[in-house]
Amino acid sequence: MHHLRDRGHSHSVPSEITSRAAYEGRRDWLKLVAGGAAGTALASWASRDALAQTARPGKLAPLPGARSPVSGAATMERLTPYQDASTYNNFYEFGTDKDDPAKTAQRLKTRPWTVAVEGEVRKPGTFDIEALLKLAPMEERIYRMRCVEGWSMVIPWVGWSLAELIRRVEPTGNAKFVQFVTLADPAQMPGLRSSVLKWPYVEALRMDEAMHPLTLLTFGMYGEILPNQNGAPVRLVVPWKYGFKSGKSLVAIRFLEKQPKTSWELAGPEEYGFYSNVNPTVDHPRWSQATERRIGEDGLFAKKRATLMFNGYEAQVGQLYAGMDLRRFF
Ligand SMILES: Nc1nc2c(c(=O)[nH]1)N[C@H]1C(S)=C(S)[C@@H](COP(=O)(O)O)O[C@H]1N2
Ligand SMILES: [Mo]
């Protein structure tokens, strides 16, 4: 995909970041950066108390969020470095290699942008991104993310619970599922020429999963707006499910009576189920899901981590699946 790389909008170079930090008088931040690799680790730790000051990478527009009580278990873990979170991505519309999206998503136009809310709701409508940004107070949620491929990250997302939007559009009694439709524009997305998935990339949740406070409509990360490769300008984040359930660059949210097929179910029904809850005891047909590699700590001697039931969110979401055979409904 080399011919598709955007040469005009390369990432900030370190000197730009430093000058921006200096401009904003972030002395502590600079001190940490001066510490090099150790500084980066320190910055991640320090973020527990002063994320906006210490972890903001200074690449994109700020999007602060109040620390949320809903974060859960991952809050005490070391954040994945922004550099990793923004260059090791799955976003097949921009190519299937992990480093493709960071290169080719620069061409994505995130304004103007609207999200259509359709189907079984009393108040359907089209929401402009600027209105969505103001719809509810932004919160910062530090979530553990687990990709079905066996790697994980800890990312400070910025957004608000999807339930805020759902309540406002007033679902009817027929609304049993919520489908998430993401952008499919061949002019902007070179990956659409591949038939690896059926486009647009669609995902869905059961209504109670969509209403769960952990389910985050996400506009930013690390105190800034989302980089394009992470799903700008708005994506979903569902931290107890495998990463592919968290659709990027959403253009429509549909309330449905029947359970819809998802892009990954259509691509491999034996491998990717509708629920796709993180579960170390149910293996993928081609690999174990018992352990994971934490991105950013994958040196030669780094130990694999044990994958946690519901990705560590069992206390919050376990009751959604009470009585369900999780082997059958994988
Ligand atoms: N539209 C769209 N959304 C997507 C994907 C994709 O290919 N297209 N990949 C998914 C997968 S497999 C993962 S693991 C996460 C990765 O999110 P991140 O790059 O922000 O870590 O995005 C998910 N959302
Ligand atoms: Mo993934």
Side-chain angles (χ1 to χ4, degrees), residues 42-268:
L42 254 178
S44 303
W45 277 111
S47 65
R48 233 59 67 220
D49 294 309
L51 185 107
Q53 286 73 38
T54 54
R56 246 193 70 204
K59 300 234 181 199
L60 298 167
L63 186 68
R67 180 71 56 75
S68 170
V70 191
S71 265
T75 316
M76 297 313 292
E77 290 181 32
R78 183 188 180 294
L79 297 184
T80 299
Y82 181 87
Q83 175 65 19
D84 291 321
S86 60
T87 58
Y88 190 90
N89 302 104
N90 273 339
F91 198 165
Y92 278 15
E93 290 88 329
F94 291 102
T96 50
D97 286 347
K98 294 286 178 279
D99 59 350
D100 282 338
K103 294 173 195 158
T104 67
Q106 300 315 307
R107 62 169 56 193
L108 176 67
K109 256 190 81 200
T110 58
R111 292 293 190 283
W113 191 279
T114 57
V115 178
V117 179
E118 305 164 348
E120 292 290 342
V121 287
R122 285 189 194 88
K123 296 181 169 170
T126 299
F127 288 79
D128 192 85
I129 186 68
E130 313 298 347
L132 282 177
L133 283 163
K134 287 184 227 132
L135 187 128
M138 288 292 169
E139 293 184 6
E140 176 173 89
R141 306 263 185 94
I142 297 170
Y143 283 167
R144 194 183 289 125
M145 304 297 289
R146 171 63 156 76
C147 176
V148 73
E149 295 164 359
W151 47 270
S152 63
M153 300 191 189
V154 176
I155 300 185
W157 301 109
V158 183
W160 35 259
S161 293
L162 178 66
E164 297 274 2
L165 176 64
I166 296 180
R167 274 194 282 271
R168 283 168 174 83
V169 298
E170 299 179 14
T172 71
N174 294 332
K176 302 283 193 292
F177 295 89
V178 187
Q179 183 186 45
F180 302 90
V181 185
T182 80
L183 183 70
D185 178 4
Q188 303 186 72
M189 299 172 137
L192 295 189
R193 279 181 308 207
S194 155
S195 52
V196 58
L197 288 174
K198 213 168 156 278
W199 314 111
Y201 188 105
V202 282
E203 258 308 333
L205 297 172
R206 219 169 54 190
M207 192 66 181
D208 57 347
E209 299 176 322
M211 284 297 290
H212 194 283
L214 279 174
T215 301
L216 195 70
L217 198 65
T218 305
F219 304 87
M221 64 184 213
Y222 299 81
E224 300 183 354
I225 61 167
L226 287 170
N228 292 350
Q229 60 269 33
N230 291 86
V234 56
R235 70 174 296 174
L236 197 69
V237 175
V238 192
W240 71 95
K241 292 176 179 282
Y242 291 118
F244 65 84
K245 297 295 294 182
S246 298
K248 293 176 169 181
S249 304
L250 300 177
V251 294
I253 300 176
R254 293 191 187 129
F255 291 77
L256 305 174
E257 183 162 13
K258 299 239 157 57
Q259 181 179 314
K261 288 271 185 248
T262 69
S263 288
W264 279 105
E265 265 186 295
L266 292 168

